[in-house]
Amino acid sequence: MTVQAHDELRPIDLKDPDLYQPGVPHETFAWLRANNPVYWNPETDGAGFWALTRHADVMAASSDPATFSSARANGGHRIFNENEFSDSEIEASMISMDPPTHVDYRRMVMGGFTPPRLRDMEAGVRRRAVNLIEAMIEKARAAGEPIDFVSSFSAPYAIQTLAELFGVPESDGDKLFEWSNAVVGEDDPECRSSPEYMEQSIGQMAMYSMGLWQARAEQPGGDLISMLVKAAQDGTEMSIPRYLSTFILLVVAGNETTRNSITGGLIALDENPEQREKAMGEKALLPHLAQEIVRYISPVLHMRRTATRDVEIGGQPIRKGDKVVMWYASANRDERAFDDPHRFDIARTTRPGAAKHLGFGFGEHVCLGQRLAELQLRVAYEELFARLPDLRPAGPPRRLRSNFINGIKSLPVTFATR
Ligand code: HEM
C-alpha cells in the first residue's frame, strides 16, 4: 500500500464514525504513523485526545497502567468520558478499573477461562459450529440464493458460546445479541435507535442477570455466573452492582469481537486465495490463521486511557489529565513491527522473532477471553473448511457505523448445497 499525501486543509478526525463506514482507513493511519505518530485529534464535543498509531507506543502505554489509567473516575476505557455518561449509576466493570482493584475483579472471572475449562468447552463449540453449518445448508437450499453469513453463522455461534459460559439456554442468545448491539452500536441507528432504547436494553439486561443470580444462588452449577455468585458469598468485593457490570462487560466483549473476526476472516481469505489454499491444506496452521485474522482485522479498533502524570510518549510530551487513545487497527499494520503489514499471511507468527499483534490488547487489561476467542476461531474454520469448502462471499459486507468496533452487520455468501 502506498502512503497517500494527506490533505492538510482537512484535519483528520479519527473519532468520526463515518471514517470507518467504507472500511478501516489504513491509508490515513499509515500517513499518521509516518508523519505524526502521536497525533493530537481535536474534538468538537470534548477536550481532544492524543492518538497513538505506532505499535511501540501502544505497547508502552498498555504496559504502564499507573501512568495510563483505565479508571472510570479518570474517564474510562472509551473515547467518551464514562464518568459523564448517563448510565454512570451502573458501577464500573474491571475494564474501567486500575490495579490493584482491577486485579481482584479480574481474578474472580478468570476461573471461567482456565485451560481445563476451555478444553471442556471445545466439544460444545464444535457441536454448535456443525449444527449451524447444517442449518445454513438447509437455508441456502430453501432460498436458492445467497444467504447472510452473519445471522446464519458468526453471530449465533459467538452468542451461543456465551450462553454456555453463563449456563443459560442457547435460545436466550437472541436477547444477549440485541443488548450487546445496543451497548456498542451507539453511532449506528440500526443498533441503537435512541438513548431510551439503550436505557431499556440495560434495564432488561439487569433484570435478566438478576434472575440468573437468584437461580444460581439457589442451585449453583459449574458456569461462570455460579462462580461470580460464589465469590460474593465468600465475602469478596463482588457485590450485586459489580456483578451486573461484569455481566454486561462479558456479554459485550465476547459477542461482537468474535462475530466480526469470523466474518472478517472469511473476507480476508477470499481476497487472498493462496492463503485460503494454505489454511485449508494444513490443519496445524489454523491457530495461526486465528492470530492473523485478529491482527489483520483488529476487531476492536481502539481503547482509551488517561494520563495520570506528565509523561512523554514517542517523543511527544503529554500532560496529566490528557486523553490517550491507542489505535490497535494502526499498531497492527505498523511497518516498524511487521514485514509487509498489509499482507494477510497466516504463517507470519510461525517465523522466529515475529512481533506480537495487539488485537487482544496488551498488559494489565489484555483480553480475558483471548483463549476462548482463539478456540472459537480455530474450530469455526476447521468445520467450515471441512463441510463447506467452497463457501465464499457473494457480495459486499454491510458495515457497522463505529469508531470502536470493526463490525460487519451482514455478508451474503454462497456455497454448493450438494
Ligand atoms: C476476537 C475476539 C476478541 C477480541 C479481538 C478482543 C479484544 C479485546 C481487547 C483489545 C481488550 C483490551 C481492553 C483494554 O486494554 O482496555 C479486551 C479485554 C477484554 N475482553 Fe476481549 N476480545 C475478544 C474476545 C473476547 C471474549 C470471547 C471474551 C469473553 C467471553 C472477552 C472478554 C474480555 C474481557 C472481560 C476484557 C477485559 C479484561 C480486563 O479489563 O482485564 N473478549 N478484549
Side-chain angles (χ1 to χ4, degrees), residues 111-159:
F113 300 90
T114 58
R117 199 162 150 72
L118 294 183
R119 266 196 303 278
D120 287 350
M121 284 182 76
E122 177 160 344
V125 170
R126 191 175 299 283
R127 174 183 53 77
R128 280 189 292 276
V130 173
N131 289 347
L132 288 167
I133 292 171
E134 297 294 328
M136 269 171 75
I137 295 173
E138 285 308 312
K139 199 167 167 182
R141 264 201 202 117
E145 56 184 35
I147 58 164
D148 173 32
F149 183 67
V150 177
S151 54
S152 317
F153 187 84
S154 50
Y157 179 68
I159 211 80

Side-chain angles (χ1 to χ4, degrees), residues 175 178-179 197 199-209:
K175 288 185 260 197
E178 230 182 280
W179 296 332
Y197 177 67
E199 300 274 326
Q200 187 191 322
S201 302
I202 296 276
Q204 289 170 349
M205 258 198 269
M207 296 269 286
Y208 177 84
S209 65

Side-chain angles (χ1 to χ4, degrees), residues 94-95 102 106 253-254 257 261 299 303 305 328 359-361 365 367 369 373:
M94 75 178 98
I95 204 164
H102 166 257
R106 187 169 164 114
T257 48
S261 320
M303 286 282 171
R305 303 290 188 255
Y328 302 125
F360 287 114
H365 289 275
C367 179

Side-chain angles (χ1 to χ4, degrees), residues 307-336:
T308 57
R309 62 177 175 91
D310 290 352
V311 63
E312 203 179 283
I313 197 153
Q316 172 64 51
I318 288 179
R319 275 189 322 210
K320 178 177 174 176
D322 282 355
K323 208 190 300 190
V324 177
V325 179
M326 308 180 296
W327 290 93
Y328 302 125
S330 176
N332 281 340
R333 299 286 186 107
D334 187 347
E335 32 297 280
R336 287 151 206 82

